[in-house]
């Protein structure tokens, strides 16, 4: 399976590189320096030259709060950039798998979102991704759009890394308890994405670790599992206002993934493996 990956330097992208290399797949791995999604001609050239069977589009402008004050950039990268890739994929006859987000939903539901539920984003980041979904389905009806949520992994900034840092320097931390979703380990997601390509997946698929929690519950579990003597206090979103409104509930139903006979481990198990490999990595770096 010849793959071209946009976003190879990102949190998920680095685990995709690892997963594809482990499976000895021929891979063209690109960061923004190799090909900016906004540069239509460059995107076409790299796709034409690498002749991929599958294009994986993990690249995006992912700063959810930053998108609120940079609407043009959010749409240029996340929507028009994705359109550039889809048009080049159509020209080259390549399959395309694109990452999208739980933030395409408004969070008003209290049961898991189905792939058929209407999009109604509450912020610019979600809007740019929702519009991209619509455009890509028009341009390339066989596109595979994978919505995921609350990513954590070893390759960059993420919630568990932030909590571990704060909890090791403070006696008490406050974490919001009125947003519920599914934390997702980038290693598990990368494995599932490669399996979806092999299964010739198309349409919208929801892929997260199973189970769900609030950020407070996630933070409590991180502190408990790491054995740090820090108290985690629940607070409301209203007490911690941020530029972008986030959905209060964004659990994604796994039915669309189960249809491919792929089942994800639960988030507590994923967190345990993340913490184990994080501590092994820090032991190696101090030797
Ligand atoms: N993080 C989450 O919690 C989350 C949740 C749901 C969905 N997602 C989606 O999952 C995907 C992966 O997210 P992530 O957290 O791994 O992202 P990330 O760590 O922020 O990485 C973003 C990647 O996109 C590249 N990129 C940014 N702007 C670009 C541009 N203009 N042209 C080309 N490449 C560009 C970056 O390259 P450089 O390193 O060169 O800048 C980097 O490789 C994204 O589509 C995101 O929307 C993420």
């Amino acid at each position: 399976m010849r793959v071209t990956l946009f976003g190879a330097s990102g949190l998920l992208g680095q685990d995709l590189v690892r997963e594809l290399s482990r499976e000895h797949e021929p891979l063209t791995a690109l960061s923004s320096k190799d090909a900016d999604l906004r540069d239509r001609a460059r995107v076409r050239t790299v796709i034409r030259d690498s002749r991929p069977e599958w294009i994986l589009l993990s690249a995006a402008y992912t700063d959810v709060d930053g998108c609120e004050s940079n609407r043009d950039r959010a749409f240029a990268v996340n929507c028009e950039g994705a359109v550039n890739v889809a048009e080049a994929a159509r020209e080259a006859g390549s399959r395309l798998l694109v990452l999208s987000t739980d933030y395409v939903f408004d969070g008003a539901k209290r049961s898991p979102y189905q792939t058929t539920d209407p999009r109604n984003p509450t912020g610019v980041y979600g809007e740019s991704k929702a519009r991209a979904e619509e455009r890509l389905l028009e341009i390339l009806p066989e596109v595979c759009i994978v919505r995921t949520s609350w990513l954590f992994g070893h390759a960059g900034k993420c919630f568990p890394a932030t909590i571990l840092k704060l909890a090791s320097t403070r006696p008490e931390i406050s974490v919001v308890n009125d947003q519920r979703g599914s934390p997702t380990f980038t290693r598990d997601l990368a494995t599932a994405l490669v399996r979806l390509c092999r299964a010739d997946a198309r349409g919208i698929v929801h892929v997260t670790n199973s189970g769900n929690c609030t950020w407070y519950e996630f933070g409590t579990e991180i502190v408990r599992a790491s054995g740090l003597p820090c108290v985690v206090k629940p607070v409301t979103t209203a007490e911690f206002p941020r530029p972008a409104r986030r959905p209060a509930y964004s659990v994604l139903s796994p039915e669309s993934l189960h249809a491919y006979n792929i089942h994800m481990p639960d988030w507590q198990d994923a967190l345990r493996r993340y913490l184990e490999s994080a501590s092994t990595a820090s032991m190696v770096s101090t030797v």
Side-chain angles (χ1 to χ4, degrees):
M1 188 169 74
R2 185 185 291 275
V3 174
T4 296
L5 167 65
F6 290 88
S9 50
L11 187 66
L12 171 62
Q14 292 188 49
D15 274 335
L16 277 167
V17 170
R18 186 173 174 269
E19 181 72 16
L20 289 159
S21 312
R22 208 166 53 83
E23 302 213 2
H24 306 291
E25 300 292 1
L27 172 66
T28 302
L30 306 162
S31 73
S32 66
K33 285 171 204 72
D34 305 306
D36 191 307
L37 296 184
R38 293 166 291 186
D39 184 344
R40 191 160 174 254
R42 178 73 190 141
V43 166
R44 276 179 74 185
T45 304
V46 292
I47 290 176
R48 195 193 56 218
D49 292 351
S50 55
R51 292 179 294 110
E53 186 181 341
W54 274 95
I55 299 166
L56 304 186
L57 178 54
S58 183
Y61 176 37
T62 58
D63 177 352
V64 174
D65 290 321
C67 283
E68 293 297 309
S69 45
N70 291 291
R71 187 181 177 87
D72 289 352
R73 178 173 166 196
F75 273 82
V77 176
N78 295 346
C79 184
E80 295 309 322
V83 165
N84 290 339
V85 176
E87 286 176 346
R90 189 175 57 190
E91 249 175 55
S94 304
R95 296 295 316 281
L96 174 62
L97 184 151
V98 182
L99 271 297
S100 190
T101 170
D102 54 333
Y103 285 12
V104 298
F105 296 121
D106 60 16
K109 271 184 89 173
R110 287 297 172 269
S111 60
Y113 279 94
Q114 303 295 330
T115 54
T116 47
D117 280 325
R119 304 172 185 91
N120 189 24
T122 60
V124 173
Y125 167 73
E127 263 185 70
S128 66
K129 297 291 262 187
R131 185 71 191 120
E133 289 189 0
E134 291 165 349
R135 297 277 304 277
L136 298 193
L137 286 163
E138 280 162 20
I139 296 166
L140 209 60
E142 74 273 22
V143 67
C144 180
I145 295 173
V146 172
R147 294 189 187 130
T148 187
S149 64
W150 296 24
L151 295 188
F152 65 96
H154 296 298
K157 248 176 63 180
C158 65
F159 182 78
T162 304
I163 293 292
L164 288 174
K165 200 165 144 199
L166 293 176
S168 59
T169 52
R170 294 184 192 179
E172 184 180 289
I173 55 174
S174 302
V175 184
V176 295
N177 196 29
D178 52 4
Q179 291 170 33
R180 180 168 292 277
S182 300
T184 304
F185 189 16
T186 47
R187 279 195 190 167
D188 291 341
L189 177 57
T191 305
L193 295 178
V194 173
R195 288 189 62 190
L196 281 171
C197 292
R198 291 198 199 294
D200 203 25
R202 53 195 69 212
I204 299 175
V205 186
H206 287 171
V207 186
T208 68
N209 277 121
S210 65
N212 61 76
C213 57
T214 65
W215 290 112
Y216 161 75
E217 289 164 353
F218 192 18
T220 302
E221 184 58 18
I222 294 162
V223 170
R224 191 202 62 73
S226 60
L228 289 164
C230 175
V231 175
V232 185
K233 236 181 78 188
V235 291
T236 64
T237 302
E239 290 173 76
F240 270 87
R242 306 268 297 269
R245 242 183 83 207
R246 271 99 172 144
Y249 179 95
S250 65
V251 179
L252 303 176
S253 165
E255 276 172 36
S256 51
L257 185 66
H258 293 174
Y260 291 98
N261 204 19
I262 302 175
H263 297 260
M264 294 286 278
D266 64 47
W267 67 266
Q268 292 94 334
D269 174 70
L271 176 64
R272 186 184 48 72
R273 284 179 286 116
Y274 166 86
L275 292 171
E276 271 171 20
S277 41
S279 66
T280 312
S282 67
M283 274 164 63
V284 170
S285 65
T286 53
V287 168

